[in-house]
Every structure is written in structure tokens, then in C-alpha cells.
Amino acid sequence: MVRGKTQMKRIENETSRQVTFSKRRNGLLKKAFELSVLCDAEVALIIFSTRGRLYEFSSSTSSINKTVERYQRKIKDVCVNNNGIHENTQILKDGDMSMTKRIEQLDNSRRKLLGDELDPCSIDELRQVENQLERSLEKIRARKYQIERQHYLRDEDLEVVAEKREEEVETELFIGRPEKQKR
């Protein structure tokens, strides 16, 4: 004979409910014991009946309290680590958002400096863009003047060196006895 699948809902008949509770409780306690023996696992099982009676099983030699304390420490550590991770994650998200905003601002500024998307700008924003462009242009011209001056000085130095070479006096080198001069 095949057993049918038990429907998972509250058993209405109190006597049947009590019998099922006792059988299943004993089966659950047996499974907890088997798990602890076969797998060398630390198992603690706490069951309260509807009448408030306590049933417990502990695989540890000391007591169920040691297992519950270990569980509470573990939960506390996990919560502390999760809070730390959550805080770090939040900091990274905030940093990411601020970097995204900064990139958008820089991109908008770049477009304005290139003369794009100026239609929605107010007169004050346009003045700021104009002033920024003028300051940039002054810096560019100063750097250009500096480079041109360096090239001019270098070219001038090369010309001076070339002129000195042309002005050098040629001398003859003679090795041997000096000749008598005719008078």
C-alpha cells in the first residue's frame, strides 16, 4: 500500500495533531542524532509544544547552552561583518555617484567651451564661459610666446656660433727648421 502525499496544513483534530506531533518530534530527534553521529556535526534542536513543553537535543557533550552561545557569537560576528561590508559598500556607492556627477559636470563644461549646448545657458553662465576662454587664451599665448622666444634665441645662438667660425684666423702649421728671412 502506497502512502499519499500529506497536505501541509494545520491538523484540525486535536488528538490526531498530538499523535502526529509526537511521532514527528521523535523522528526529528532521531534525524538530529544521526546527523551528529554520521557527519560529526554539532547539532542543537529545541522544540516547544503547543502546551509549552520543552524538548531538546544536543550533540555536544556539555549542553545545548554551549551550542546556543556559539550560535549567538557567530550571528553577532556575521552582523558586525555585514554592517562593515554594508558601510564600505555605501561609501563606495557614494564615491561612485560623486564621481559620476563630477564626470557629467566636466563633460558639460567641455561642451560649453567647445560652443555646443549653449542654448539653455543663462547670461551669467555665458559670461563665465567667456571669461574662462579668455583666461585660457592668455595662457596659450604666453606659452606660445615662450616657445617662440626659445626658438629665436636658439637660432640666434646658432648664427653667432657660425659667425665666430667664419672669423677664425687661418694659420699655417710648419714643422721643421725655420727658414732664414731674406733682407
Side-chain angles (χ1 to χ4, degrees):
M1 182 171 179
V2 179
R3 270 194 294 175
K5 190 171 183 178
T6 305
Q7 199 174 26
M8 296 307 293
K9 67 176 186 175
R10 185 174 186 266
I11 300 171
E12 296 300 326
N13 185 334
E14 192 172 328
T15 308
S16 297
R17 187 170 54 237
Q18 186 59 40
V19 170
T20 302
F21 174 77
S22 295
K23 288 181 180 179
R24 294 215 173 201
R25 180 197 68 220
N26 289 335
L28 187 58
L29 290 168
K30 182 179 175 188
K31 290 289 184 186
F33 172 74
E34 290 172 354
L35 182 64
S36 69
V37 171
L38 293 173
C39 301
D40 195 28
E42 187 176 342
V43 178
L45 177 64
I46 302 171
I47 303 171
F48 288 100
S49 70
T50 54
R51 294 184 180 153
R53 291 192 61 194
L54 171 66
Y55 302 92
E56 63 182 56
F57 167 79
S58 175
S59 64
S60 92
T61 53
S62 51
S63 73
I64 198 165
N65 292 336
K66 296 283 184 185
T67 307
V68 171
E69 287 173 7
R70 183 176 172 195
Y71 168 77
Q72 288 173 336
R73 282 194 308 271
K74 186 70 172 177
I75 289 299
K76 184 179 179 183
D77 291 344
V78 168
C79 287
V80 168
N81 287 339
N82 283 345
N83 285 341
I85 290 170
H86 179 69
E87 289 171 5
N88 288 342
T89 304
Q90 190 61 40
I91 290 169
L92 290 173
K93 284 181 182 177
D94 292 344
D96 188 37
M97 291 299 289
S98 67
M99 288 301 289
T100 303
K101 288 179 183 176
R102 182 69 179 137
I103 289 169
E104 287 176 9
Q105 289 172 345
L106 289 172
D107 196 39
N108 287 337
S109 176
R110 181 187 61 84
R111 276 191 236 113
K112 287 177 184 176
L113 289 173
L114 292 174
D116 298 334
E117 298 183 17
L118 294 175
D119 292 340
C121 293
S122 67
I123 190 72
D124 291 334
E125 288 174 321
L126 291 172
R127 284 187 182 129
Q128 288 175 349
V129 171
E130 182 181 24
N131 290 337
Q132 189 174 2
L133 284 170
E134 287 175 357
R135 286 191 303 269
S136 297
L137 192 57
E138 287 174 9
K139 288 179 184 178
I140 291 169
R141 285 181 177 148
R143 177 68 179 139
K144 179 183 167 192
Y145 175 76
Q146 181 184 12
I147 291 172
E148 287 175 344
R149 180 111 173 106
Q150 288 172 349
H151 285 298
Y152 174 76
L153 291 175
R154 187 177 64 209
D155 291 344
E156 197 173 84
D157 287 343
L158 290 175
E159 287 177 15
V160 169
V161 168
E163 286 175 8
K164 283 185 179 180
R165 283 187 185 157
E166 289 175 2
E167 291 176 3
E168 288 180 359
V169 177
E170 290 187 29
T171 59
E172 289 185 26
L173 179 63
F174 179 78
I175 300 177
R177 294 174 87 184
E179 293 181 18
K180 291 184 182 178
Q181 291 182 352
K182 295 179 182 175
R183 289 192 182 194

